[in-house]
């Protein structure tokens, strides 16, 4: 599985479950879908363990995690 | 045997109090008029500006019907407008009712009905159904509507006349999770706010040069310290911007850049900063008091936090919404090295506690039992729910007034400090939020496919607990996890949406035919 698919699957399959046939676009605002502090922490741990990318704490801002696109850009900066 | 009514208890306050919490702002404006009252995202208001805006808005609110006995919705995310509106409502003698704008519409509706709200103030317009039951609406962002903007509401002249006391002394209503599925409104008195904020200001020695962070939402009792203890000393209130709250590094940056000197939050906010905030990178030298409450602080995180911020004092406060803070414990270095949990400590001034067994009598020296609390911070009861009020407010063991049955099981340590041991009922805490699993289960039973449901708490090292829903579908029916979550989202606040789902063929039962929650928790 490609990294983007892995992240999508984790976000829409586990953190913010959404029916497979109705998954939002990668640009959709995740905060509006219920992304909160607990799920955000789980997402970071997932990225570090499953993709093997360490995301520096100081870079974590709302803008970097607000959508799948934003998260993938952030991961890309560290691959 | 005669049982005192809540009203009777109110007529015999243990300590004297101001008549309206607005008086704290009047005094602050008189003593520290040029001092900065609030500093938010680069904008500031001095005390004489805050009172002027609040008094102007109060004129508009009073014209809309705000007066003693009225309840006014206060549905704001953190902002300067939120503080203007809060004091404006108080000035009219009405009670303010904090509502999280992110709650589902049905929950907000239930709160408005139980509280009897006909005036709305908030960051944004309420949903159409809610707007339709309002006589007047005041919002920060109005868009196209009949609502009055907060900005326009302060065009009015400053309110005149005496500052009325709120009806039955009730300054605000704080809604918390209810086991029957409907949130319950806890009546908080002016006496309670005055007494607690005075205790807090005195104990922590607040001064006009303090900068007090406000991390908790307004519907959390923690915010009453951030607001009223700060105002009564002329300190500066520093609300934490909403989106920064979730980001540990940003939060640490906020504490450093805003030169926060007093921090009060749920433990999970501190634990997140310890894990991901890179605290040693930040200049937190201004921080002199770190205060936490709302759930159990994990000791490994506290040890690490205290090592990083050794110049600050650390204090554990305890108290359900119904009593605001009723006990406190000052953490010392020895505690941080110990593995055992922190005490919840000793009662604050004028407050009495008893530990009672199932027979309602005090337990012996070593025994554990339910904690009962009496004192000036006690609630007068639940809005629109006399039965629950009678159940939870019982005659105090010393025969003076009433005591609140906390539902918390505690014991007294050898040195007299109180130790929290757990709940005698099912209530759980997640990220400081108080959650009745029954409220979530009631929501789940409303789903057409669900036959049985039970919600249990799974301990989590950072967030206190995670919620797991165990559900059984009706014969032939099914639903996706996404359906179930969407259903919850429409019925309960986001923090009550289960984190984990366990779909089963049946739930274990006790020999009395009830769901066996212990077996469920053990079957992990």
């Amino acid at each position: 599985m490609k990294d983007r698919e892995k992240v999508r699957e984790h976000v829409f399959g586990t953190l913010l479950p959404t029916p497979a046939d109705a998954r939002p676009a990668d640009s959709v605002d995740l905060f509006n879908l219920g992304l909160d502090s607990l799920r955000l922490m789980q997402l970071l741990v997932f990225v570090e363990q499953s993709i093997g990318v360490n995301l520096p704490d100081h870079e974590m801002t709302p803008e970097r995690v607000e959508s799948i696109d934003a998260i993938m850009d952030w991961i890309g900066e560290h691959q | 045997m005669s049982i005192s009514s809540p009203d009777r208890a109110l007529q015999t306050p243990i300590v004297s109090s101001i008549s309206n919490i607005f008086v704290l702002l009047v005094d602050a404006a008189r003593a520290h008029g040029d001092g900065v009252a609030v500093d938010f995202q680069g904008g500031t208001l001095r005390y004489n500006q805050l009172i002027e805006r609040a008094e102007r808005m109060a004129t508009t609110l009073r014209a809309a019907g705000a007066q003693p006995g009225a309840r006014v919705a206060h549905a704001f995310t953190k902002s300067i407008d939120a503080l203007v509106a809060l004091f404006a409502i108080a000035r009219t003698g009405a009670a303010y009712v904090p509502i999280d704008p992110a709650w589902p519409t049905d929950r907000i509706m239930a709160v408005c009905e139980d509280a009897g709200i006909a005036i709305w103030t908030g960051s944004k317009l309420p949903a159409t159904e809610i707007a339709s039951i309002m006589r007047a609406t005041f919002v920060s962002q109005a868009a196209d509507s009949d609502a009055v903007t907060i900005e326009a509401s302060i065009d009015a002249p400053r309110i005149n006349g005496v500052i009325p006391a709120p009806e039955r002394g009730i300054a605000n209503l704080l809604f918390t999770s209810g086991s029957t599925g409907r949130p319950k409104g806890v009546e908080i008195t002016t006496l309670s706010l005055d007494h607690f904020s005075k205790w807090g200001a005195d104990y922590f020695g607040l001064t006009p040069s303090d900068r007090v962070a406000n991390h908790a939402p307004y519907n959390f009792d923690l915010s009453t310290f951030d607001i009223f203890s700060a105002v009564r000393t002329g300190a500066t209130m520093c609300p934490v911007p909403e989106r920064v709250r979730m980001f540990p590094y940003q939060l640490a940056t906020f504490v450093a850049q805003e030169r926060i000197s007093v921090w009060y939050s749920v433990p999970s906010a501190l634990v997140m900063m310890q894990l991901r905030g890179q605290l040693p990178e930040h200049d937190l030298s201004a921080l002199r008091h770190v205060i936490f409450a709302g759930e159990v602080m994990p000791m490994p995180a506290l040890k690490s936090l205290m090592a990083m911020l050794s110049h600050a004092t650390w204090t554990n406060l305890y108290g359900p919404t119904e009593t605001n803070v009723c006990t406190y414990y000052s953490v010392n270095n020895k505690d941080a090295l110990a593995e055992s949990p922190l005490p919840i400590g000793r009662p604050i001034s004028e407050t009495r506690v008893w530990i009672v067994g199932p027979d309602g009598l005090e337990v012996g020296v070593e025994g554990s039992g339910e904690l009962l609390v009496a004192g000036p911070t006690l609630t007068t009861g639940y809005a629109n729910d006399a039965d629950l009020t009678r159940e939870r407010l019982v005659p105090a063991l010393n025969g003076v007034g009433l005591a609140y049955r906390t539902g918390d099981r505690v014991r007294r340590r050898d040195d007299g400090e109180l130790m929290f041991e757990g709940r005698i009922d099912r209530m759980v805490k997640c990220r400081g939020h108080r959650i009745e699993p029954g409220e979530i289960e009631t929501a789940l039973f409303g789903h057409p496919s669900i036959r049985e449901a039970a919600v249990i708490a799974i301990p989590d090292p950072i967030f206190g607990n995670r919620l797991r829903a165990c559900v059984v579908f009706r014969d032939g029916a099914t639903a996706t996890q996404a359906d179930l979550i969407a259903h919850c989202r429409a019925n309960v606040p986001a923090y009550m949406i289960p984190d984990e789902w366990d779909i089963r063929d049946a739930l274990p039962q006790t020999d009395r035919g009830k769901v066996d929650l212990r077996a469920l928790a053990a079957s992990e």
Side-chain angles (χ1 to χ4, degrees), chain B residues 195-206:
Chain B
H195 185 78
F196 166 62
S197 64
K198 180 169 193 318
W199 175 84
D202 291 350
Y203 183 74
F204 295 106
L206 299 193

Side-chain angles (χ1 to χ4, degrees), chain B residues 341-366:
Chain B
L342 287 179
I344 56 172
R346 295 165 189 266
I348 69 165
S349 58
E350 309 294 334
T351 296
R352 286 210 53 177
V353 297
W354 297 271
I355 304 173
V356 302
D359 55 5
L361 299 175
E362 273 192 274
V363 298
V365 183
E366 303 272 294

Side-chain angles (χ1 to χ4, degrees), chain A residues 36 38 48 57-58 60-61, chain B residues 249-250 278 431 463 499:
Chain A
D36 60 10
L38 177 90
E48 286 167 8
D57 295 328
H58 71 270
M60 186 169 59
T61 58
Chain B
Y249 191 90
Q250 311 279 314
Q278 301 293 346
R431 284 162 276 174
F463 297 101
D499 303 300

